[in-house]
Amino acid sequence: MVTSADFQRLRELWADRHGATQEQWHELFRRVEAVLRRARILEGLDRADMVQGYFCDRVLCGRGASIPDHEAALLAWFQRYQLDQLSRERPGDLSWDESCEGCQGAPVVDAPDPGAELFRHQRAARISAFFESLSEDERVLLQVSHCDGESVLSVQDQYRIRSAHYRSKQLGIVLGRNTLPEEWGRSKIGRMVAELGLRIDATMGEDLLQVFRLLCERARQWWEARA
């Protein structure tokens, strides 16, 4: 049972999320998950996948200022999110930004002490170096498609990137619905995750959220300097 005090705490964390510590992100995820346990899941969808996807898309990577006023509002937003997933034009392929890239059987990571604040400091330099190794087209795909939520096709047309869908799969931000963890592990991001010493698994790992958050932070810095 989520009390009014619990939900108020959720609202506070949600409002301050862009400046949140890793511990606060983990707390926010637990509180959002507690509310969404009560949600009705549409046929053909998996609850854990949808909760993780919603959190990554709408909370972790979301840039809107809206905050749910009450449980019913959050449940309604989650219902619309599920409908969005079912109505996608290309249901056979999901991008990381579309489904948190930790959903629909996508690979994720598991590591000891995922809540350690040192994770950011220990991994940020390696993640930044990885970003620097990407081509400009790959950086655009990461920033605009994954971090900002534009479709790969839209990014391909707008920025004239050839074979954008294929290149997104090679990068690791788009995967087939039946992609296995070991297959994603061969993508560029998957290999980088393995080099960080994180075990690729088929369950949602909090460290993977941190990896993608750090990637998006670095991509945003590059994008703003590029403008």
Coordinates of all heavy atoms in Angstrom, one line a residue, residues 84 87-92 153:
D84 N 1.2 3.2 -26.2 CA 2.3 3.7 -27.1 C 3.1 2.5 -27.6 O 3.5 2.4 -28.8 CB 3.2 4.7 -26.5 CG 2.5 6.1 -26.3 OD1 1.5 6.3 -27.0 OD2 3.0 6.9 -25.6
S87 N 1.2 0.4 -30.1 CA 0.9 1.0 -31.4 C 2.0 1.5 -32.2 O 1.9 2.2 -33.2 CB 0.0 2.3 -31.1 OG 0.7 3.2 -30.4
R88 N 3.2 1.0 -31.9 CA 4.4 1.5 -32.6 C 4.4 0.9 -34.0 O 3.9 -0.2 -34.3 CB 5.7 1.0 -31.9 CG 5.9 1.8 -30.6 CD 7.3 1.7 -30.1 NE 7.4 2.4 -28.9 CZ 7.5 3.7 -28.8 NH1 7.5 4.5 -29.9 NH2 7.6 4.3 -27.6
E89 N 4.8 1.7 -35.0 CA 4.7 1.2 -36.4 C 5.6 0.0 -36.7 O 5.4 -0.7 -37.6 CB 5.2 2.4 -37.3 CG 4.2 3.6 -37.2 CD 4.6 4.7 -38.1 OE1 5.7 4.5 -38.8 OE2 3.9 5.7 -38.2
R90 N 6.7 -0.1 -35.9 CA 7.6 -1.2 -36.1 C 7.7 -2.1 -34.9 O 8.7 -2.0 -34.1 CB 9.0 -0.7 -36.5 CG 9.0 0.1 -37.8 CD 10.3 0.6 -38.2 NE 11.2 -0.5 -38.6 CZ 12.4 -0.3 -39.1 NH1 12.9 0.8 -39.2 NH2 13.1 -1.4 -39.5
P91 N 6.7 -2.9 -34.5 CA 6.7 -3.6 -33.3 C 7.8 -4.6 -33.2 O 8.1 -5.1 -32.1 CB 5.3 -4.2 -33.3 CG 4.9 -4.3 -34.7 CD 5.5 -3.1 -35.4
G92 N 8.4 -5.0 -34.3 CA 9.5 -6.0 -34.2 C 10.8 -5.5 -33.7 O 11.7 -6.3 -33.4
L153 N 14.4 6.4 -37.7 CA 14.0 6.9 -39.1 C 14.0 8.4 -39.2 O 14.6 8.9 -40.2 CB 12.7 6.3 -39.5 CG 12.2 6.6 -40.9 CD1 13.2 6.1 -41.9 CD2 10.8 6.1 -41.2

